[in-house]
Amino acid sequence: MRQLIAGNWKMHGRLKDVAGFAAALGAAPAHIDLLVCPPFPLLVPFATALAGTAIALGAQDCHARPEGAHTGDVAAPLIREAGATYVILGHSERRADHGETNADIAAKTSAALSAGLTPIICVGETEAERDAGQAEDIVRSQLMHSLPPGFAGVVAYEPIWAIGTGRTPSVTDIATMHATIRAALTTQLGPTGATTRILYGGSVKPANAAALLALPNVGGALIGGASLAAADFLAIAASAPRG
Ligand code: PGA
């Protein structure tokens, strides 16, 4: 399967950055699927700038309701209307900053699916949980409670201690966790779980991408910091194996 190389811009980026970044992505390799997830106000300008290209656009969150009195939130149907086809849900920064629970994420995921968006559900353990030997149990539990019945989308394994730190798990630990996630998805989702893309995220850089993306059950990457520079983002994409 083609790998998905996704950039999570988090709370970075300005309107002035969009045209140049989109133009630089014209050099994207054709053997992968490329996705940019900027802050909400950049979705429409990015959709315009990327029109006619194969590069996909995603949001970083959505509300569980399709509309209503929810000040400051953004509904999945509007995200779809803005030109996005993906939405990242349950990122550890949202779980931490906004107290999002697995149940919240499951509800948002259902809303995303109803709106025609492909959800990317983030899971991952803290360093203390890994040190205590609980990483796989934590991730299995997050999957069990964050994915609604009938889930069809992407899962991203992002160990919290690897996000923005320059540290990554060993390739053995990543391969083990991705095998665990594959087994859990197959149990939960049946045949869909056997083909669900499982991304790795957390300090992916041009220097480590080839080794990480070559691992079994790694179907791409979710990239924070290194997705902000088009050259680094494209270098990571170029290092993905052909599916
Ligand atoms: P990072 O972030 O690549 O900067 O570690 C990854 C993420 O949080 O999605």
Side-chain angles (χ1 to χ4, degrees), residues 70-188:
H70 301 290
T71 302
D73 284 314
V74 181
L78 177 58
I79 291 170
R80 182 70 194 85
E81 207 179 317
T85 52
Y86 286 83
V87 59
I88 298 169
L89 293 171
H91 190 282
S92 61
E93 287 153 15
R94 292 209 57 88
R95 291 179 189 254
D97 295 353
H98 299 275
E100 290 189 8
T101 64
N102 289 326
D104 294 331
I105 294 153
K108 290 178 177 209
T109 302
S110 294
L113 290 167
S114 298
L117 295 168
T118 301
I120 300 176
I121 310 305
C122 302
V123 295
E125 80 286 357
T126 64
E127 187 156 34
E129 288 163 347
R130 174 157 289 273
D131 289 347
Q134 297 167 344
E136 289 172 56
D137 285 347
I138 292 288
V139 166
R140 262 194 295 262
S141 169
Q142 289 171 335
L143 290 170
M144 182 62 72
H145 300 292
S146 303
L147 304 186
F151 174 78
V154 179
V155 168
Y157 168 55
E158 298 206 308
I160 295 167
W161 53 274
I163 294 175
T165 60
R167 298 164 59 208
T168 62
S170 68
V171 288
T172 309
D173 285 346
I174 294 174
T176 301
M177 184 61 86
H178 278 241
T180 297
I181 293 171
R182 174 68 68 212
L185 291 175
T186 306
T187 304
Q188 264 178 262

Side-chain angles (χ1 to χ4, degrees), residues 59-70:
Q60 301 171 14
D61 180 44
C62 72
H63 196 271
R65 310 280 310 166
E67 63 178 349
H70 301 290

Side-chain angles (χ1 to χ4, degrees), residues 8-18 21 37-42 46 60 228:
N8 172 13
W9 274 25
K10 309 191 177 184
M11 205 172 72
H12 298 288
R14 304 292 292 266
L15 280 167
K16 66 175 171 47
D17 303 325
V18 171
F21 195 85
C37 302
F40 289 125
L42 300 188
F46 252 119
Q60 301 171 14
L228 296 170

